Amino acid sequence: MSKLNILEFPDPRLTTVARDVDTFDDSLKKLVQDMTETMYSANGIGLAATQVNVHKRLLVLDVSENQDQPRVYINPQILDSEGDQVHEEGCLSVPGIYASVSRAENITLRAQDLDGNSFEEKLTGLHSVCVQHEMDHLIGRLFVDYLSPLKRNMVRKKLEKQRKTAAKEAEEHLVI
């Protein structure tokens, strides 16, 4: 397994619409393993393939308390949704930024597993929120797209400042 590079907002590759997965082979299994390892090492609870610059309709998540129940959803589709919930969301592609986003409280989802078998699940609460958040990535949308243009611009500036500060600190600690 290997850790993958996570794209960060405002990288334009994050707006790419993912294509359906049609080949269920060992390379797909390896990608899922690498994505799961990347998600865990970044202390995340979900990761879409788009976030690691692979534009396939695939996401991994683990909303379990002990982070020991990884789930894989390939070619996910929401068949039904009901209710509303507002949840404070963050994103591995928008580090350190959180915002309240309204999403369906309950969803019925159809997806495929690693062998291409279809299945359906009814999801609620955090599991529902996480799947919806990751599915947004597959259509090129981030949670900051739900914010006003003013707030989104503030997020962009805050991230740019964080990156400049990190780069400056790294430069100051260079040993020759």
Side-chain angles (χ1 to χ4, degrees):
M1 289 195 281
S2 61
K3 188 175 168 212
L4 304 170
N5 183 45
I6 298 173
L7 302 177
E8 292 186 3
F9 177 77
D11 192 310
R13 295 173 290 181
L14 287 168
T15 63
T16 303
V17 176
R19 295 177 309 278
D20 281 348
V21 172
D22 52 13
T23 304
F24 296 81
D25 58 8
D26 288 342
S27 66
L28 180 66
K29 289 177 177 143
K30 168 91 167 85
L31 174 61
V32 166
Q33 288 177 339
D34 291 346
M35 285 177 60
T36 303
E37 178 184 339
T38 301
M39 174 186 69
Y40 286 141
S41 68
N43 296 315
I45 62 170
L47 186 67
T50 300
Q51 293 176 272
V52 294
N53 201 29
V54 175
H55 304 289
K56 295 182 179 182
R57 293 187 45 76
L58 160 68
L59 61 97
V60 298
L61 62 84
D62 188 342
V63 295
S64 66
E65 196 170 307
N66 296 322
Q67 290 263 284
D68 60 358
Q69 297 173 33
R71 300 297 316 268
V72 178
Y73 297 95
I74 301 169
N75 300 325
Q77 298 174 268
I78 295 175
L79 302 176
D80 190 31
S81 63
E82 62 182 30
D84 289 308
Q85 63 180 323
V86 176
H87 200 276
E88 185 87 353
E89 294 186 23
C91 181
L92 296 176
S93 291
V94 191
I97 306 296
Y98 300 89
S100 295
V101 178
S102 179
R103 298 198 186 268
E105 186 171 354
N106 306 303
I107 62 170
T108 302
L109 181 78
R110 177 184 296 142
Q112 291 172 280
D113 64 18
L114 278 170
D115 296 316
N117 300 312
S118 291
F119 64 93
E120 288 185 17
E121 283 184 1
K122 291 186 183 291
L123 306 175
T124 62
L126 182 59
H127 199 160
S128 172
V129 167
C130 189
V131 165
Q132 292 172 77
H133 174 108
E134 300 309 332
M135 285 182 68
D136 272 355
H137 283 295
L138 302 179
I139 59 171
R141 183 182 298 154
L142 291 118
F143 84 99
V144 295
D145 293 332
Y146 291 96
L147 304 177
S148 70
L150 178 63
K151 286 184 180 178
R152 197 168 38 253
N153 193 40
M154 288 171 52
V155 167
R156 184 186 319 264
K157 287 180 179 179
K158 183 175 181 179
L159 289 173
E160 286 172 3
K161 184 177 178 182
Q162 287 174 355
R163 288 184 193 113
K164 286 179 184 175
T165 300
K168 185 177 179 184
E169 287 175 2
E171 190 176 287
E172 289 173 357
H173 291 94
L174 283 177
V175 178
I176 299 177

